[in-house]
Amino acid sequence: MQKQQQVSDKVLVIGGGMGGIRAALDLAEAEKKVILVDRDYTIGGLMTQLDRTFPTNNCDLCTLSPNLSEGSRQEYIELLTMTTVKGVKGGKGNFTVSMETAPRYINLDKCTACGECHKKFPQCVRFTPGLDHRAPTCMRYPQATPQAFSIDLAKCDDVEGLMKSCPAGAINPDDMGRKFEVTCGSIVLSPGGSLFDPSHLDYLGYGQQPDVVTSLQYERILSASGPTMGQLVRPSNGQQPKKVAWIQCIGSRGLQKGAGAYCSSACCMFALKEAIVTKERFHDDIETTIFYMDMRTMGKDYERYFLRAKNEFGVRFVRSRPHSIVREGGAENLSITYSCDDKSANITEEFDMVVLSTGFRISDEVRVLAGKLGIDLNSSSFPVTDPFNPVATSVPGIYVAGVAQAPKDIPETMVQASAAACMAAGDVAVPVKAEEDREPPPPEFATVGEEARVGVFICDCGENIGGVVDAGALAEFASQLPQVVVSELKGHGCSRQSMREIQESIRDNKLNRVVIGGCSPRTHETKFQETVRAAGLNKYLVEIANIRDQATWVHSNSPQDATAKAKDLIRMAVGSVIRSQPLVDQSLPINKDILVVGGGVAGMNAALQLADQGHKVYLAEKTDKLGGLAARIHSTIEKGDVQTYVKDLIARTEAHENIQIITRALIVDHSGMPGLFKTGMQTGKQMFYRQIEHGVTVIATGAKPNRPPQYLLGENAAVSTQLDLQALLAEKPETAKAWDNVVMIQCVGSRDDENPNCSRICCQSAIKNALRILALNPEARIFVLYRDMRTFGFHEEYYQKARELGVIFVRYSREQPPRVQAGDGGIEVSFTDPVLGRELTVAADHLCLSTGMVADEDGNSELAMLFKLPRTADGYFLEDHVKLRPIDLPVPGFFVAGTAHSPKLINESVAQALAVAARARTMLARDTINLGARSAKVDKNICAACLICVRSCPFSIPFINAEGYSEIDPAKCHGCGVCVSACPAKAIQLMQFEDDRILAKLEELFERTNA
Amino acid sequence: MENFEPVIVAFCCHYCAYTAADMAGSQRLTYPANVKIIRVPCSGKVDALHIVKAFEKGADGVYVAGCLEGDCHFKNGNVRAARRVESVRKYLEEIGLEGERLEMVTMSAGMGYRFAQVATEMTEKIRKMGPSPIHLALAGGASEARKAANI
């Protein structure tokens, strides 16, 4: 084999934030090898510092940490923390990257994250930007990955004492770090953004006034894991604030010195979130005010969030750019001076705390990194990307995702991360499976019908358990319990050494049940399940008594109580494990064919990506031709040629040997389970019925252009939508040359009672068409009547250009919409100018309405019913998790791309289509799908078919079968146990949480009390 | 009962309340050792039978802890749990146990401090109420228990 043609089988992911983690997981689950590097000592990025995220206001740690520990477990991922990229050579298929790892001074293999070093050297904690103290040893947040501390040796004056403090001997002050090279076939760049630093803007008072904080600092103050343990207090005096103000667009939209020319896209939403969370917690005790220029809530269902902030929570909105924030000499409060449209004089108002909504920027470090990678950057230092593929940089084989591509929020980052994973996976070789590495575990030995032989292993977890209670005595206590054969003290049960000993003990003592007295099953159950399985024991025959988190950590003030409780917990676990039964994970073979519903840009892109990977794809299109809505669009705002792009896409789709196109397809039935679906459709002119078997379904059905019967649309030839106008400007450009006055009205059919959401695309359409008219006819006068200009991201720069070229932007309110009537000289449009305070009338040669998109109500409701997919109130398909899983639908095996999800631009649809391909591959890489063992099981001899389970199941899984009893498909059951508790006959049991195990725990708990 | 230490059973859902309890641990918050946790996948899994058995065996208080409303990982298990707790409370009253010995609480996974706070409040409340009449019955015979329960 010739060396230079060898393609590497690894992908390098740079940046361990949410984007990097998502990309790495998608690649690893698709069985691609990944090297994930982060310069920080733990992965997680910016999101780990947030208190809650919009629009669900969920806390982050609980949604993020499973992803992180998933990351640490993946065998395909090599995680390199505290590592930076030094240089890049080579090209797509074969990059050589030199890297350097900084010393952590802690041996990751030995560290158990017990926290002893931190406790003994608590000078402080390295945690929050600006609001904390620093520690020689630190772990960023409780669920950090890797689960290990890091030491800042420069801050430590007693190195020996520090070394001695570690019970695991993990501290190594001689750690030198290392320099090394790796080879990879492609690179995903996801280093995230940094935040604008407003310190140099003295009129904002940041840095001088402690009560002026950035939004991230406010987030830390609100956070339960933050410096104030979630107490909202003013940094100046420790009192709870009464009046908090947010000031938007700090460092964005070219407003301040050093600010980016772009809009940072996420700040309006996070300011709303912070204000809502504040209101939720303190109600009328705290007044919240947001100073803004345009509220840019253009994401899916974000407008509703904005309305809730305003109407439900009483957040006050002031459209103004404050002039200054000062604290008068001796005054306790901050004064904000600002002006409003309706008053000519300046207003000064006092606040206790001011939050600056600072925007994103590219850090110098990332700029240097981009230089090393050789990728082109735009004027704002973001990578230049392909107009129809936002993750493709100027260098083949290097892909960018997340805020480093353009300012964006978490769901869009997740989409791009998956999209980048899809592209990167295409550039690397399939890794050779190392058979010897994956030795199959020994066969499980039989346990059914055998007397229980329990082994108890108690961890002292360093000082964590052993420092509060006598762990040896606990082991001694456990040895006296019935059916316990062995009870031993294990230092750190989770260390490799202890795990080996436990396995030996299982074999030597013929143990058939295991109890670990240690930490939380949440973090360690999988680990111990793997341990016992490797010794030949069914993995469901182990139970963990959480004597650390639930006894020694929380009752350290009373060792006596902690000991008594630890004994209770151990006895309960033993009682429960005796009744545990060996379970088999549900698994099913997967059909690797794919059904893509919808032949637009999103559907074709998803189909092509999956077909390129060798999957058979059925592309079902409702109409008689491919192309969808994009086939009617001529150009993007960046002047990308859409017609050529779509034509090429159709040609490639039609020519692909793995794609079967089915036009005039009407889906009529659907059955099966993830990996084994059957979908029936009527196709062609004759409506012949055919059935397709497939493992994955992609929903890419698009949306419809909205045409509400408002402002003479459809009645007068001089009134059009933006979609019609762009076609007219492309096909008959001479028409625009005759126009003196053109009026555009924004938000027609959007942001109203009938359709409360924002259509996202219309503001940029208006700007695009206005610029096009001016290019054809520089004399034309264009009026854009708007409510908020939502030119997010780099579109802001086009908005600024339109203003410079003389396009007149006039704001109107929802209460006072423009009025339109047909006159002699054209269309008369009347509106109130808020700056002049006067009513104006323009005789327009052309009136263009920004009508946006609406969900295809008829089509979507049919499909939703057939596929059992939920939808939003406005008819779009609802994803599984609006924050972290924007591509997966709640029904496993279903994915969504394009405007079927929500209104979006063409390049956003493409990104989501690529992301779908990456997500689908994670499922299709395996030959079978593992569904775990926790599912509800019906005893047909007891079931009375009373239908209570059928009605109570949150997912509508149980049904009464032909034999007259309730049947629950274990492959579909989510394992919540709701039906189990509802069943009046007790005919249902939830595996792993059987009633007799729960009752055994109660039994054991009260044995002591009642004895 | 001078030194009455109640035994309280907390059925905690895996996704929120159990995680919050771990969080309380990692933040080293303290709460009374009287509270013993039993993990369930969802608060909606907690059976009336489990609650009643806990009391029968001698629990002085029981609470079911689930996710905040709207956060349930199984759509609405926590809402069902709250309804069930409400109905079991009525049943407890009927058999002569104070309904306040049973509670439904919600919290998010990040709320370690709330977990500790709920555990403390519940323990204080039950301590004030005194031992469960059933507990007395188990300890000293049925007649005293009837006396305690005023029946």
Side-chain angles (χ1 to χ4, degrees):
Chain A
M1 195 190 281
Q2 282 189 313
K3 189 138 194 189
Q4 63 266 34
Q5 285 171 350
Q6 211 174 336
V7 173
S8 166
D9 60 1
K10 283 190 182 130
V11 179
L12 173 67
V13 178
I14 305 174
M18 283 316 290
I21 292 171
R22 181 74 270 155
L25 286 174
D26 280 351
L27 286 162
E29 284 171 32
E31 301 190 345
K32 301 284 180 193
K33 287 188 186 169
V34 184
I35 304 168
L36 176 61
V37 297
D38 197 300
R39 69 191 161 92
D40 225 328
Y41 34 88
T42 165
I43 57 173
L46 179 64
M47 191 178 172
T48 58
Q49 296 173 28
L50 306 181
D51 173 46
R52 280 151 184 266
T53 59
F54 59 79
T56 49
N57 289 2
N58 277 345
C59 92
D60 281 319
L61 284 174
C62 48
T63 39
L64 174 66
S65 42
N67 273 342
L68 296 181
S69 51
E70 204 181 331
S72 69
R73 282 209 301 271
Q74 288 288 342
E75 60 186 289
Y76 286 90
I77 301 177
E78 185 184 351
L79 177 63
L80 300 171
T81 47
M82 304 181 79
T83 302
T84 44
V85 170
K86 291 293 167 194
V88 180
K89 289 195 299 264
K92 177 168 130 178
N94 209 339
F95 289 101
T96 303
V97 184
S98 51
M99 296 199 259
E100 189 175 331
T101 301
R104 179 186 277 269
Y105 303 112
I106 283 190
N107 184 339
L108 285 182
D109 294 332
K110 289 187 183 166
C111 177
T112 57
C114 67
E116 277 308 303
C117 52
H118 179 220
K119 206 163 84 189
K120 298 232 173 79
F121 289 82
Q123 283 89 324
C124 12
V125 188
R126 179 158 64 189
F127 198 14
T128 336
L131 283 171
D132 67 329
H133 6 249
R134 286 168 69 87
T137 63
C138 73
M139 185 151 76
R140 275 250 304 265
Y141 60 100
Q143 284 103 325
T145 296
Q147 267 278 340
F149 283 71
S150 149
I151 288 173
D152 187 347
L153 211 58
K155 301 263 157 157
C156 182
D157 43 20
D158 177 12
V159 176
E160 235 167 73
L162 180 65
M163 281 176 72
K164 278 192 194 133
S165 75
C166 179
I171 297 175
N172 171 21
D174 301 325
D175 191 349
M176 301 284 287
R178 62 183 181 123
K179 288 183 183 169
F180 56 100
E181 280 189 348
V182 297
T183 55
C184 59
S186 53
I187 298 174
V188 173
L189 180 64
S190 179
S194 66
L195 295 169
F196 179 75
D197 178 3
S199 310
H200 62 288
L201 305 167
D202 51 3
Y203 57 93
L204 296 176
Y206 180 75
Q208 293 124 47
Q209 302 300 341
D211 292 335
V212 179
V213 296
T214 65
S215 31
L216 186 60
Q217 288 171 332
Y218 191 78
E219 199 81 39
R220 295 306 309 148
I221 295 175
L222 282 179
S223 169
S225 64
T228 57
M229 306 289 261
Q231 298 293 312
L232 175 56
V233 292
R234 297 173 62 174
S236 66
N237 60 8
Q239 304 284 307
Q240 184 189 308
K242 293 269 173 215
K243 262 182 101 173
V244 184
W246 279 259
I247 299 179
Q248 297 306 105
C249 303
I250 304 294
S252 303
R253 300 181 69 178
L255 289 179
Q256 301 89 4
K257 198 178 156 206
Y262 47 84
C263 159
S264 288
S265 303
C267 331
C268 281
M269 281 302 283
F270 66 63
L272 285 174
K273 170 198 66 184
E274 290 177 353
I276 288 178
V277 170
T278 303
K279 275 291 191 185
E280 266 179 345
R281 282 178 52 186
F282 302 97
H283 307 284
D284 293 337
D285 285 354
I286 299 186
E287 262 181 57
T288 52
T289 307
I290 297 179
F291 290 93
Y292 71 104
M293 295 167 57
D294 295 283
M295 275 321 281
R296 291 188 168 170
T297 49
M298 61 281 163
K300 185 176 187 176
D301 271 341
Y302 289 0
E303 183 75 9
R304 286 175 191 274
Y305 193 72
F306 172 35
L307 293 174
R308 268 176 63 206
K310 202 152 124 183
N311 304 332
E312 271 179 49
F313 292 95
V315 176
R316 175 177 158 231
F317 291 87
V318 180
R319 190 190 289 269
S320 174
R321 273 171 59 189
H323 161 272
S324 61
I325 305 167
V326 292
R327 191 167 70 162
E328 302 297 343
E332 198 173 329
N333 292 339
L334 300 160
S335 303
I336 296 184
T337 306
Y338 62 95
S339 59
C340 281
D341 282 346
D342 45 354
K343 293 188 193 72
S344 53
N346 275 344
I347 304 163
T348 298
E349 195 178 332
E350 285 197 1
F351 290 90
D352 299 336
M353 251 180 115
V354 176
V355 184
L356 305 178
S357 294
T358 46
F360 293 116
R361 57 190 298 279
I362 291 292
S363 69
D364 295 342
E365 206 179 337
V366 171
R367 205 172 302 144
V368 171
L369 177 61
K372 285 174 186 154
L373 295 167
I375 57 175
D376 295 340
L377 301 180
N378 68 16
S379 57
S380 301
S381 298
F382 288 85
V384 174
T385 54
D386 183 298
F388 296 106
N389 186 341
V391 299
T393 69
S394 58
V395 177
I398 301 183
Y399 306 96
V400 62
V403 176
Q405 186 267 338
K408 59 175 63 67
D409 58 13
I410 293 169
E412 283 180 72
T413 296
M414 298 308 259
V415 169
Q416 280 197 343
S418 290
C422 166
M423 296 302 294
D427 296 342
V428 295
V430 177
V432 184
K433 279 192 189 175
E435 294 296 336
E436 66 274 24
D437 281 4
R438 307 185 64 183
E439 199 183 311
E444 285 179 17
F445 48 80
T447 48
V448 179
E450 304 233 327
E451 184 82 353
R453 294 175 60 83
V454 185
V456 181
F457 301 94
I458 308 287
C459 307
D460 67 14
C461 200
E463 291 286 294
N464 286 288
I465 293 170
V468 179
V469 299
D470 181 349
L474 285 182
E476 175 58 32
F477 159 81
S479 70
Q480 307 299 317
L481 295 172
Q483 291 178 290
V484 172
V485 180
V486 185
S487 178
E488 285 171 15
L489 179 64
K490 288 273 165 271
H492 292 278
C494 54
S495 67
R496 280 165 201 273
Q497 172 69 24
S498 300
M499 295 233 189
R500 259 195 310 273
E501 288 169 14
I502 292 171
Q503 288 167 347
E504 279 160 22
S505 181
I506 291 172
R507 283 188 286 260
D508 296 348
N509 298 302
K510 297 194 169 47
L511 302 180
N512 57 18
R513 302 286 191 283
V514 171
V515 167
I516 307 290
C519 57
S520 177
R522 245 170 16 84
T523 51
H524 282 69
E525 190 168 61
T526 313
K527 221 169 192 175
F528 286 112
Q529 283 180 339
E530 283 164 9
T531 305
V532 303
R533 180 63 195 88
L537 193 59
N538 181 282
K539 69 177 192 178
Y540 292 104
L541 300 177
V542 61
E543 173 127 5
I544 300 183
N546 189 352
I547 60 173
R548 184 185 72 180
D549 299 41
Q550 288 176 20
T552 55
W553 270 357
V554 287
H555 311 310
S556 54
N557 52 351
S558 168
Q560 203 185 337
D561 284 348
T563 306
K565 183 163 169 188
K567 285 182 181 172
D568 286 343
L569 294 175
I570 292 166
R571 208 177 40 236
M572 288 160 78
V574 171
S576 165
V577 85
I578 289 170
R579 288 162 182 82
S580 64
Q581 23 179 333
L583 299 173
V584 182
D585 282 348
Q586 289 291 327
S587 74
L588 291 166
I590 289 181
N591 177 326
K592 299 198 177 192
D593 297 348
I594 292 141
L595 172 64
V596 176
V597 187
V601 163
M604 285 190 285
N605 269 296
L608 280 168
Q609 285 297 331
L610 288 161
D612 279 347
Q613 292 282 312
H615 295 290
K616 170 92 192 161
V617 180
Y618 299 94
L619 180 58
E621 165 58 36
K622 189 167 66 173
T623 68
D624 59 354
K625 59 177 186 293
L626 300 176
L629 189 54
R632 293 169 60 186
I633 296 169
H634 291 266
S635 163
T636 65
I637 195 166
E638 299 90 357
K639 299 210 168 73
D641 180 349
V642 183
Q643 292 288 304
T644 307
Y645 173 73
V646 174
K647 277 193 194 111
D648 171 62
L649 200 58
I650 294 173
R652 283 195 291 142
T653 307
E654 286 177 341
H656 206 295
E657 56 174 8
N658 287 343
I659 300 178
Q660 190 183 121
I661 298 163
I662 307 163
T663 49
R664 295 180 199 262
L666 178 70
I667 293 181
V668 289
D669 63 59
H670 175 78
S671 63
M673 56 186 73
L676 289 171
F677 293 124
K678 279 182 192 160
T679 302
M681 55 188 82
Q682 289 178 318
T683 64
K685 283 184 183 151
Q686 275 77 36
M687 303 295 273
F688 288 125
Y689 178 84
R690 68 177 288 188
Q691 194 180 53
I692 287 164
E693 294 187 1
H694 54 108
V696 160
T697 317
V698 177
I699 303 289
T701 50
K704 285 197 313 192
N706 193 10
R707 287 189 70 87
Q710 293 177 36
Y711 300 114
L712 308 176
L713 181 63
E715 292 171 35
N716 191 308
V719 181
S720 76
T721 64
Q722 295 286 6
L723 186 65
D724 300 337
L725 176 62
Q726 63 89 31
L728 182 71
L729 294 174
E731 287 153 17
K732 293 180 190 159
E734 63 284 356
T735 323
K737 293 191 176 134
W739 291 344
D740 294 327
N741 289 327
V742 178
V743 177
M744 297 182 180
I745 303 178
Q746 300 304 104
C747 300
V748 178
S750 300
R751 301 181 68 194
D752 57 16
D753 289 334
E754 226 166 277
N755 180 21
N757 272 311
C758 164
S759 285
R760 185 178 179 95
I761 58 163
C762 339
C763 281
Q764 65 88 36
S765 307
I767 303 283
K768 175 178 82 176
N769 290 336
L771 290 172
R772 179 74 185 136
I773 293 169
L774 287 178
L776 294 166
N777 176 6
E779 302 305 311
R781 284 209 295 168
I782 304 173
F783 297 83
V784 178
L785 311 183
Y786 73 100
R787 288 171 56 194
D788 291 279
M789 279 313 285
R790 295 185 166 173
T791 44
F792 57 92
F794 300 130
H795 297 155
E796 178 69 14
E797 293 169 40
Y798 294 93
Y799 174 37
Q800 296 305 335
K801 191 171 162 201
R803 294 185 85 111
E804 279 161 27
L805 290 174
V807 176
I808 300 160
F809 290 87
V810 183
R811 205 168 61 239
Y812 74 90
S813 68
R814 191 178 160 187
E815 294 71 36
Q816 261 191 314
R819 276 153 294 123
V820 169
Q821 60 175 22
D824 301 337
I827 308 283
E828 285 177 12
V829 185
S830 308
F831 51 90
T832 309
D833 185 312
V835 179
L836 300 175
R838 286 193 10 212
E839 169 132 342
L840 301 175
T841 300
V842 174
D845 301 296
H846 191 85
L847 171 64
C848 182
L849 308 177
S850 292
T851 51
M853 289 181 186
V854 283
D856 175 6
E857 184 50 43
D858 297 341
N860 287 3
S861 65
E862 287 268 322
L863 284 180
M865 217 131 69
L866 283 167
F867 292 135
K868 292 207 171 63
L869 297 171
R871 293 189 301 149
T872 60
D874 43 0
Y876 293 100
F877 288 99
L878 180 64
E879 58 272 42
D880 191 33
H881 190 289
V882 294
K883 209 71 198 170
L884 299 173
R885 286 159 68 84
I887 307 144
D888 302 55
L889 287 164
V891 179
F894 277 81
F895 303 93
V896 63
T899 50
H901 168 268
S902 65
K904 49 176 66 75
L905 299 160
I906 293 174
N907 59 7
E908 294 170 335
S909 286
V910 175
Q912 209 180 8
L914 302 179
V916 158
R919 296 295 304 142
R921 271 186 215 153
T922 63
M923 232 183 108
L924 299 171
R926 293 184 194 109
D927 296 327
T928 55
I929 184 164
N930 188 339
L931 305 163
R934 197 184 77 205
S935 63
K937 203 169 153 187
V938 182
D939 182 343
K940 64 178 179 183
N941 298 319
I942 307 178
C943 174
C946 68
L947 292 173
I948 283 180
C949 55
V950 176
R951 290 194 198 104
S952 66
C953 176
F955 305 94
S956 311
I957 308 298
F959 65 97
I960 306 299
N961 65 15
E963 290 174 51
Y965 66 89
S966 166
E967 188 174 319
I968 297 171
D969 185 341
K972 288 184 181 166
C973 176
H974 291 231
C976 62
V978 163
C979 60
V980 180
S981 61
C983 176
K986 296 283 146 257
I988 315 177
Q989 287 296 326
L990 184 66
M991 298 299 105
Q992 277 189 274
F993 289 90
E994 297 86 351
D995 284 332
D996 62 342
R997 292 182 70 179
I998 291 177
L999 294 178
K1001 286 187 181 180
L1002 290 170
E1003 198 77 59
E1004 296 297 334
L1005 171 61
F1006 291 105
E1007 183 174 309
R1008 172 182 66 97
T1009 340
N1010 299 336
Chain B
M1 291 283 256
E2 274 297 300
N3 298 317
F4 166 58
E5 282 301 335
V7 181
I8 294 161
V9 176
F11 290 101
C12 292
C13 84
H14 174 83
Y15 292 93
C16 291
Y18 194 89
T19 310
D22 279 357
M23 196 78 165
S26 45
Q27 293 179 349
R28 310 296 201 274
L29 307 175
T30 58
Y31 55 85
N34 308 59
V35 173
K36 324 284 172 178
I37 295 170
I38 292 181
R39 182 168 70 120
V40 285
C42 174
S43 54
K45 162 78 178 76
V46 179
D47 210 312
L49 182 77
H50 302 153
I51 299 171
V52 176
K53 271 281 180 209
F55 280 115
E56 186 194 309
K57 296 282 170 199
D60 301 294
V62 174
Y63 64 93
V64 179
C67 303
L68 298 177
E69 203 164 322
D71 276 3
C72 177
H73 284 57
F74 304 103
K75 292 187 184 171
N76 59 359
N78 50 353
V79 178
R80 289 182 163 275
R83 281 209 297 268
R84 181 164 301 131
V85 162
E86 210 36 60
S87 74
V88 176
R89 271 185 132 183
K90 287 192 190 118
Y91 168 74
L92 292 180
E93 296 276 1
E94 276 176 36
I95 62 166
L97 265 168
E98 305 92 322
E100 297 86 68
R101 291 189 185 271
L102 175 62
E103 289 269 11
M104 173 78 201
V105 295
T106 58
M107 62 191 71
S108 84
M111 293 181 170
Y113 66 93
R114 173 152 166 84
F115 183 87
Q117 188 192 355
V118 166
T120 309
E121 285 172 6
M122 189 72 187
T123 308
E124 285 312 311
K125 185 173 91 175
I126 302 293
R127 191 174 277 139
K128 277 197 197 111
M129 289 177 76
S132 145
I134 290 176
H135 199 76
L136 280 184
L138 288 167
S143 61
E144 276 173 49
R146 276 199 206 93
K147 231 183 285 164
N150 284 326
I151 41 177

